[in-house]
Amino acid sequence: MIFFLCIVFFAALFLNNRIYFFDKIALYILIFSSFIFTVHASENLALDEIVVTATRVDRPAKEIGSPISVIDSTLIDSKQFNSLSEAISSSPGMHGVSIGGKGHQTSYFVRGSNSNHSMVLIDGIEMGDPSASSGAFDFGNIFLGNVEKIEILRGAQASMYGSEAIGGVVNIISELPEINSFSTSLSMGSDNMLQEKIKYSKIGGNWKTAWSVVHSKSDLETLTESKFAPIGSFNESDGYENLSSSFRYQLKNNDNVELDYVIHYFDTKAELDPTAEDPDSNSTSTQYFSKINVAFNNFNHDISNNIGISISHISREFFNYPDTLQNTFQSTQDVGERVKFDTRTDIFKLQNNTLSLGFEYEHESFKNTQFADFSGFVIQGSTRETAITKTIYIQDTYNPTNDLTVVGDLRYDKNSRFKGTATYRISPVLLIKSLNGRIRGAYGTGHRAPALFELFGQSTTAFGDSFRGNRNLRPEESTSWELGFDKFFEHIPIL
C-alpha cells in the first residue's frame, strides 16, 4: 500500500505546477479511492487472455502496457448487442454521440480525443472513410453478425498503427468456427422494428469457413424535437434499414502455411432532418472491406512472415428534395477507396526478445460531387484526389524476467502530400504477483495527416452556404504519457 501511494505521489509531480495544493490533495483521494473501491476497468479481461491488437502479435493481456477491454461473443450474446455502437458504449473511456437512433451517424471519442483520432479495424482492415468530412469512422452503420470479439485499446498507438491512432484502436475480429453450425433468429418490436439473422459455419479437413447475414430496419421517431418543428409541419418518422454480411475462410495447407480471406459488406439507408422536420431527406451508404493474408512459419515457428493486401470501398449519397416546407434540392455523392499492401516479419526466441519488422504501402482516393439549388441559387462542383503513404516500422518486445515486459515501437510514415514523420513509443509493464496486480506506463508520440476531404472536399449546407477544404492544413502531432496501477480482483460479482 505504501508503495502504491508513492507511485501516486510521484505521478502528481508531473502535473502542471499551477495546480493548487488542495487540488492535488483531491487528486490523491480520487486515485486512492478508485484503487480501493473500483474493480479493474477491463472487467471483461482475464490476465492470461490472449489479445492481438496491442502488438499485432498474440500476447497475454498482462503484458500489454495500455488499458485494453475485450468484448467477446459470449458478452455480445448475453447482452443482446446488435450494433458496434451498442457493444462499445459501456467500455471505459468511450463516449458516443449520435444524430439519431440506430443506423444514424455515430461518433465515438476515446479518452476525450477527437472522433477522428481513433482507428477502427475489422480483421486488420482500416475502416476509416477517406471521403468523410473529417476522415472519422461512422459507428452507426456497423451491425454485428459473425464476431468473435472486439478489442478496445485505449491510449496513443500511432507508432504501431500510424495516422489516426492518437486516441486508441478498436479492432473487430471475426469468428472462426470450432464446430459445424447453422442458426437463424427473428426479432420484431415497436416502431415496425424487424431484425433477421442467419449464421452458418463449416469445418473441413484443413479449412474453416463462417458466414453471416443481418438485416435490420425500424421506423424511428422524428429526429426533430417538437419545440423546433416549424409551423405547418407534421411529425414524420426518421427510420433506417441496414443489411450487413460477412464471410471468412481459412486454409491451412500444412503447419507452416496459412491463408486467411475475409470480406465484409454493409448497406444502409437512413432518413434525416437537415432542417426541422424534413420529410424528403435521406442518406445511403454502401461499404465493403476485403483482405487476403498469407502467413509462413519457418524454422520451427521461430520466424513468421505475413503478407496481406486489403481493399476497402465506401460510397455515400445524400439527397434532399423540395417539399412544402422549403424549395431546396441537394445532392452529394462521396466515394472513398483504400488499397493497402503490408508485410510483417516476426522473429521469436531471440533470447528475451520478440522482434517485428514491417512495411506498408497505402493508396487512398476520394471523389466528391455535389449539387444544390436554393430556389435558383445553384452551387455545384466535383473533386477527385489521391494520397500515397509508405511506412516502415520496428517493434521489440523485451522480457528479461517473467514479471517484466517492455515494448518499444519506432515507425516512419511518408505521406505523398507531407514530409515524413517518425513516431515512437515505449511501454513497460511490471507484474506484482503478491498484490495480484501490475504497474504499467507508456510514453510516446503520434501524428494524424489531414483527410483528403479536409484538404480538397466541398459540400453544401441546408442554409445556402458551402464548405471547402483547406489545402494548407498540416499534420497534427501529439505527445502522451500515462502511468497506472491495475489491481485484479477474483470472485467478485459485478452487478
Side-chain angles (χ1 to χ4, degrees):
M1 186 65 66
I2 295 176
F3 179 62
F4 175 76
L5 291 176
C6 290
I7 294 175
V8 174
F9 174 77
F10 285 110
L13 294 179
F14 286 99
L15 300 177
N16 194 307
N17 293 329
R18 290 175 292 180
I19 298 179
Y20 294 103
F21 172 77
F22 290 105
D23 291 334
K24 290 184 179 180
I25 293 297
L27 177 63
Y28 301 152
I29 295 174
L30 176 63
I31 298 177
F32 182 68
S33 63
S34 66
F35 166 73
I36 296 178
F37 298 110
T38 304
V39 178
H40 182 253
S42 299
E43 66 273 10
N44 304 315
L45 185 65
L47 278 173
D48 294 323
E49 181 166 0
I50 301 299
V51 295
V52 66
T53 304
T55 61
R56 302 195 191 195
V57 178
D58 292 348
R59 301 205 69 85
K62 63 185 179 182
E63 297 181 2
I64 304 304
S66 298
I68 185 170
S69 296
V70 175
I71 304 170
D72 59 22
S73 57
T74 302
L75 183 64
I76 292 173
D77 293 338
S78 64
K79 294 196 173 183
Q80 298 183 4
F81 293 137
N82 292 317
S83 67
L84 175 62
S85 178
E86 289 178 346
I88 68 175
S89 61
S90 60
S91 297
M94 303 293 289
H95 175 64
V97 176
S98 175
I99 66 170
K102 287 183 180 180
H104 291 84
Q105 183 176 342
T106 304
S107 300
Y108 266 86
F109 306 84
V110 182
R111 285 184 165 182
S113 61
N114 293 341
S115 60
N116 56 6
H117 286 172
S118 301
M119 178 172 288
V120 181
L121 308 169
I122 184 165
D123 293 319
I125 310 170
E126 291 184 38
M127 299 184 73
D129 185 359
S131 67
S133 58
S134 63
F137 173 70
D138 181 3
F139 287 83
N141 291 332
I142 307 302
F143 284 70
L144 302 178
N146 187 40
V147 174
E148 175 185 344
K149 60 181 177 178
I150 303 170
E151 295 182 356
I152 303 173
L153 189 64
R154 297 180 293 279
Q157 311 296 328
S159 58
M160 188 74 257
Y161 287 96
S163 180
E164 299 177 23
I166 293 177
V169 177
V170 177
N171 189 15
I172 309 166
I173 301 174
S174 297
E175 187 176 19
L176 277 172
E178 298 297 330
I179 59 173
N180 297 334
S181 66
F182 174 82
S183 64
T184 181
S185 65
L186 174 66
S187 302
M188 293 182 290
S190 58
D191 295 324
N192 292 323
M193 187 279 289
L194 173 67
Q195 185 172 81
E196 305 155 286
K197 288 185 179 181
I198 299 176
K199 296 177 66 175
Y200 171 80
S201 62
K202 180 73 173 178
I203 299 177
N206 60 349
W207 57 270
K208 298 179 179 181
T209 185
W211 171 75
S212 69
V213 176
V214 181
H215 175 247
S216 303
K217 64 180 297 185
S218 178
D219 296 330
L220 300 175
E221 295 182 358
T222 177
L223 301 180
T224 302
E225 295 186 31
S226 57
K227 62 182 177 181
F228 297 121
I231 298 175
S233 65
F234 56 91
N235 288 337
E236 46 90 24
S237 62
D238 290 314
Y240 76 93
E241 184 171 8
N242 177 279
L243 177 65
S244 302
S245 179
S246 67
F247 173 81
R248 184 173 182 182
Y249 176 83
Q250 186 183 82
L251 172 67
K252 290 188 176 182
N253 189 31
N254 52 54
D255 192 43
N256 296 320
V257 181
E258 180 179 298
L259 181 145
D260 205 335
Y261 173 75
V262 294
I263 184 169
H264 301 274
Y265 175 85
F266 306 95
D267 188 87
T268 302
K269 180 179 180 180
E271 297 175 343
L272 305 174
D273 280 343
T275 58
E277 293 296 7
D278 193 329
D280 301 294
S281 177
N282 65 78
S283 67
T284 62
S285 69
T286 300
Q287 310 174 62
Y288 64 81
F289 307 90
S290 181
K291 182 174 183 177
I292 185 169
N293 187 85
V294 181
F296 305 90
N297 297 308
N298 304 306
F299 303 103
N300 295 321
H301 292 252
D302 289 344
I303 298 179
S304 175
N305 297 286
N306 290 268
I307 300 175
I309 183 169
S310 62
I311 300 174
S312 63
H313 174 94
I314 302 174
S315 176
R316 296 179 291 111
E317 294 182 329
F318 166 75
F319 292 101
N320 186 9
Y321 298 95
D323 53 55
T324 57
L325 300 178
Q326 58 179 0
N327 186 27
T328 297
F329 174 76
Q330 291 175 269
S331 171
T332 302
Q333 296 175 301
D334 298 298
V335 178
E337 294 181 334
R338 177 184 291 110
V339 178
K340 186 173 184 177
F341 169 82
D342 62 271
T343 179
R344 190 185 78 250
T345 298
D346 303 312
I347 306 174
F348 306 96
K349 297 183 180 179
L350 287 175
Q351 293 184 347
N352 299 320
N353 299 72
T354 297
L355 190 66
S356 298
L357 307 170
F359 169 79
E360 298 174 356
Y361 177 92
E362 180 179 273
H363 181 278
E364 290 183 321
S365 66
F366 100 108
K367 182 179 180 181
N368 166 249
T369 303
Q370 50 110 16
F371 176 87
D373 184 351
F374 299 97
S375 299
F377 176 68
V378 176
I379 301 176
Q380 60 181 327
S382 180
T383 306
R384 185 182 183 94
E385 296 290 344
T386 63
I388 295 175
T389 303
K390 301 175 183 178
T391 300
I392 56 173
Y393 65 86
I394 182 172
Q395 180 185 80
D396 184 21
T397 302
Y398 178 55
N399 293 97
T401 68
N402 292 331
D403 298 331
L404 177 64
T405 302
V406 181
V407 180
D409 304 320
L410 180 62
R411 181 184 180 101
Y412 181 80
D413 294 284
K414 178 63 178 73
N415 187 295
S416 59
R417 298 190 177 276
F418 307 104
K419 295 181 179 179
T421 303
T423 54
Y424 62 88
R425 187 172 187 264
I426 184 169
S427 176
V429 178
L430 176 64
L431 297 177
I432 306 176
K433 294 181 180 179
S434 60
L435 297 176
N436 195 27
R438 64 175 184 170
I439 300 173
R440 56 175 175 79
Y443 182 91
T445 60
H447 82 288
R448 177 190 172 271
L452 288 173
F453 191 96
E454 293 176 298
L455 293 168
F456 309 105
Q458 53 184 330
S459 64
T460 60
T461 72
F463 303 100
D465 56 357
S466 63
F467 162 84
R468 292 186 181 275
N470 183 355
R471 298 172 181 246
N472 296 318
L473 290 177
R474 292 293 177 264
E476 303 174 57
E477 297 180 354
S478 72
T479 301
S480 63
W481 65 270
E482 62 180 276
L483 180 66
F485 177 83
D486 299 331
K487 169 67 177 177
F488 297 92
F489 296 87
E490 297 180 358
H491 310 300
I492 297 180
I494 301 176
L495 302 179

